[in-house]
Amino acid sequence: MNEYVTQQMTEYRKQLSDMVSEFNSTKSDTIISPLDAKEIKAIYRQIARQLHPDMSTVTQEHPELAELWEQASIAYKCNDLKTLRETDFLVQQALSQLGVSDAPIVVPDIAEKIATLEQEIHTIITTEPYSYKLILDDKDETADRKTAYETELLQYTDYEKQLQQQLDLLTL
């Protein structure tokens, strides 16, 4: 019986591992809309005109610009619109600080970006690792949870004994 349970658990863990890998690979595959693809291309071309090493000597002179160019290239290859937008902003800021460009820095849809960041912060705060920290800081809540888990453990132990008795009766 123990061998059977061990075999079943091994198969279960393998299935679970396969499901986790499939989920992770699916999560990284994103489908972008044609509008987003067009915006990605436009932003990348703008950055390329400003930073491409073959077109701009400024990039070769300043390592931070070379790093931003690399970041933009990776974001473009990954179709990562969010990172590409952020990189564009950083490029404009860096060029302005270096005195290469005197164009004003414009952040389009800033209210929408602030709302998105606030939502991300809310999601982080309400997820388990963060909420567990709040529980661990509260001694009364920690004691209540410990008592509840100990009670649950006792129930499972009793249930295991009942199952073992039934198994013993069946194997006689």
Side-chain angles (χ1 to χ4, degrees):
M1 186 68 167
N2 285 340
E3 291 176 37
Y4 175 77
V5 170
T6 303
Q7 179 188 8
Q8 291 296 317
M9 287 304 293
T10 303
E11 290 176 22
Y12 170 76
R13 285 188 183 108
K14 184 183 180 328
Q15 288 174 348
L16 187 61
S17 174
D18 292 343
M19 289 170 64
V20 167
S21 350
E22 184 179 342
F23 171 77
N24 288 336
S25 68
T26 304
K27 190 168 93 174
S28 65
D29 296 338
T30 57
I31 298 174
I32 59 170
S33 71
L35 186 61
D36 287 346
K38 189 175 179 178
E39 186 177 354
I40 287 170
K41 189 180 276 188
I43 293 172
Y44 178 74
R45 284 183 178 168
Q46 177 184 342
I47 293 172
R49 281 192 294 272
Q50 295 170 331
L51 294 185
H52 194 284
D54 294 342
M55 297 174 73
S56 172
T57 57
V58 177
T59 303
Q60 297 168 355
E61 296 169 4
H62 299 284
E64 63 270 14
L65 292 178
E67 186 177 317
L68 287 171
W69 167 247
E70 184 66 27
Q71 184 177 342
S73 298
I74 292 170
Y76 178 71
K77 289 176 187 174
C78 296
N79 288 326
D80 188 353
L81 180 58
K82 180 180 176 186
T83 302
L84 206 52
R85 284 176 178 163
E86 292 170 0
T87 304
D88 182 39
F89 176 77
L90 292 174
V91 166
Q92 301 312 315
Q93 187 178 24
L95 290 173
S96 177
Q97 287 175 352
L98 293 172
V100 177
S101 172
D102 54 354
I105 298 173
V106 178
V107 181
D109 304 326
I110 193 158
E112 179 183 320
K113 290 179 181 183
I114 290 172
T116 302
L117 287 174
E118 287 174 344
Q119 180 61 37
E120 287 177 15
I121 290 169
H122 176 71
T123 302
I124 290 169
I125 289 174
T126 57
T127 56
E128 287 187 1
Y130 191 84
S131 61
Y132 283 150
K133 180 190 178 304
L134 297 176
I135 292 170
L136 291 173
D137 289 343
D138 184 1
K139 300 298 181 192
D140 294 333
E141 181 69 23
T142 305
D144 291 344
R145 291 274 177 126
K146 183 177 179 181
T147 303
Y149 289 140
E150 287 172 349
T151 304
E152 187 176 357
L153 178 62
L154 288 173
Q155 291 171 346
Y156 282 122
T157 305
D158 290 341
Y159 184 61
E160 179 187 25
K161 288 177 187 176
Q162 292 172 3
L163 289 175
Q164 187 62 44
Q165 289 171 354
Q166 291 295 322
L167 183 62
D168 290 343
L169 288 174
L170 292 172
T171 57
L172 288 179

